[in-house]
Amino acid sequence: MIVRFGYVAMSTVVQNCSPSKTMTMKSFIKLDDREAAIRKLERLAAENLHNTLRLLKHNLAHDIQVYRMTSKFIPLGTHRDLSDWDPYPALKEGFAEVGQFVKQHGMRVSFHPDHFTVLSTPRPEVLDNSIRDLRHHTNMLMAMGLSASMKNNIHIGGAYGDKPSAAARFEEHFQLLDQNIKERLTLENDDKTFNALETLDVCRKLGLPMVLDIHHQWVNNEGEAPWELWPEILPTWDTPLAQAGSEPDHPLPPKIHVSSPKSPTDIRSHADGVDVVPLLSFLRKIAGVTQHLDVMIEAKLKDGALFGLMKDLSRYENDGVRVVNGASVEITT
């Protein structure tokens, strides 16, 4: 099994390269000239895209092909008071440049809309905002010229005191989405509400691919081990929605999330790095049924955690692990 590792948004190695520079609505309002304020937003967004390109070049230099982009490319991009603003003409070149680099080097990028994006909500205004946010993320991927193989990963959302009803609402609200949003979605289990089994059930019903978060599964489960679920999760990556935009001879690999508890008393928060032992145990148990796997590292040290994990994995080179390059390994059974 070939395993590629990636990281989330920011680099702790490359200095002065934030892709998430922003402005609050309060600061925007303080600027008397609205057009000048909008130009400032566009300059910040252009800088975010430029820094993202810098990070992608950094990733290429270290063989990192899996990367989660920040959702904050366009400051105030979904704010209702700026609904008349179209930032894309001013940012066309920046988005195109990022997308071209991704395609040229065969990278896999994604977004993870924040926890306010919840399709299980019973509140119409929250649903409207959630759909707007998903459309915003989809528009950014389309502005980069990227196919539907580049996904937006979300959670089911809140239970609102009745988990079966909340899951049913998610399924109902999913049907309201435009097709180009549907085919870019993946669904992830969370650490407090919808566990892996419950998330898998929704994925099966809707034909969505499931991103297994093994840290979340460890703290929120029904007694099952994560590798016991894997033979059922794996087929969710073979559905038409899962493979939308991918090439027949290069199907989109399944993806998981990995992180480690911050401490014994704070098991849900993420540590600086990743504990290699439980991760390697999981990888070994699924290697026999999985050809390719992409792993998103959700650790505080970002790419620094990736480099640390690769160093730890290299110590197992005589024990079923072969280092392929700076961010990939082969696991043998």
Side-chain angles (χ1 to χ4, degrees):
M1 177 177 69
I2 301 296
V3 182
R4 302 188 301 181
F5 295 100
Y7 69 99
V8 177
M10 307 288 288
S11 172
T12 57
V13 176
V14 182
Q15 300 301 306
N16 302 314
C17 196
S18 171
S20 304
K21 295 185 177 181
T22 190
M23 180 193 295
T24 64
M25 196 63 196
K26 184 177 180 180
S27 297
F28 180 88
I29 293 172
K30 285 182 179 179
L31 299 175
D32 295 332
D33 187 331
R34 191 173 189 273
E35 285 303 311
I38 286 176
R39 298 292 85 78
K40 184 173 181 179
L41 289 178
E42 291 173 348
R43 286 196 300 274
L44 286 171
E47 188 173 353
N48 288 338
L49 288 165
H50 173 72
N51 282 344
T52 295
L53 187 61
R54 288 177 59 200
L55 290 174
L56 291 173
K57 291 177 179 179
H58 160 70
N59 294 349
L60 180 65
H62 295 280
D63 307 310
I64 301 171
Q65 292 186 293
V66 181
Y67 176 64
R68 181 192 301 167
M69 298 182 293
T70 177
S71 292
K72 299 177 181 178
F73 277 142
I74 306 176
L76 304 178
T78 59
H79 201 286
R80 285 187 176 274
D81 291 346
L82 288 169
S83 59
D84 61 333
W85 170 44
D86 180 7
Y88 289 98
L91 302 175
K92 180 179 179 180
E93 184 176 335
F95 273 113
E97 198 170 11
V98 169
Q100 182 58 37
F101 193 90
V102 168
K103 289 184 287 186
Q104 180 182 349
H105 298 288
M107 294 177 169
R108 180 182 188 175
V109 296
S110 61
F111 284 119
H112 195 340
D114 68 26
H115 62 282
F116 296 111
T117 302
V118 283
L119 295 182
S120 66
T121 179
R123 297 170 57 190
E125 68 276 15
V126 174
L127 177 61
D128 287 345
N129 289 338
S130 298
I131 293 176
R132 182 187 302 108
D133 194 51
L134 289 174
R135 186 173 292 116
H136 170 67
H137 283 83
T138 298
N139 287 342
M140 288 193 290
L141 290 168
M142 293 175 67
M144 295 177 199
L146 298 175
S147 75
S149 62
M150 308 301 170
K151 309 291 188 181
N152 295 314
N153 182 62
I154 61 173
H155 300 282
I156 294 177
Y160 305 98
D162 185 345
K163 198 181 290 187
S165 295
R169 266 196 312 274
F170 180 97
E171 295 162 17
E172 177 186 351
H173 294 161
F174 173 81
Q175 302 303 337
L176 301 175
L177 301 175
D178 297 337
Q179 182 64 22
N180 65 351
I181 298 177
K182 289 180 180 178
E183 65 187 14
R184 290 182 185 268
L185 282 185
T186 61
L187 200 52
E188 174 193 354
N189 57 301
D190 69 66
D191 60 342
K192 292 182 179 178
T193 309
F194 285 92
N195 63 35
L197 283 167
E198 293 160 339
T199 304
L200 176 60
D201 182 58
V202 173
C203 285
R204 283 170 166 167
K205 290 177 180 177
L206 298 178
L208 287 173
M210 178 173 166
V211 174
L212 174 65
D213 188 307
I214 59 176
H215 183 178
H216 290 172
Q217 195 277 336
W218 177 63
V219 299
N220 183 21
N221 63 71
E222 298 181 24
E224 77 285 351
W227 52 84
E228 293 172 341
L229 289 177
W230 189 249
E232 300 178 67
I233 293 172
L234 197 55
T236 68
W237 288 91
D238 292 329
T239 67
L241 282 178
Q243 293 300 323
S246 62
E247 300 175 9
D249 52 343
H250 290 95
L252 188 67
K255 181 193 278 188
I256 69 168
H257 290 177
V258 62
S259 54
S260 296
K262 184 177 180 179
S263 71
T265 57
D266 188 2
I267 60 173
R268 285 185 166 84
S269 297
H270 295 170
D272 287 345
V274 175
D275 186 349
V276 68
V277 175
L279 172 60
L280 186 53
S281 176
F282 173 80
L283 295 177
R284 283 170 168 161
K285 285 183 170 67
I286 69 167
V289 296
T290 313
Q291 288 187 318
H292 298 275
L293 180 72
D294 288 340
V295 177
M296 181 59 64
I297 295 171
E298 296 184 316
K300 295 295 183 183
L301 285 180
K302 310 292 185 178
D303 51 346
L306 187 157
F307 297 140
L309 178 61
M310 287 300 300
K311 184 176 179 180
D312 290 341
L313 285 167
S314 70
R315 299 189 178 104
Y316 292 85
E317 282 203 274
N318 294 322
D319 192 14
V321 177
R322 180 178 71 86
V323 174
V324 176
N325 56 36
S328 302
V329 297
E330 181 180 16
I331 307 293
T332 57
T333 55

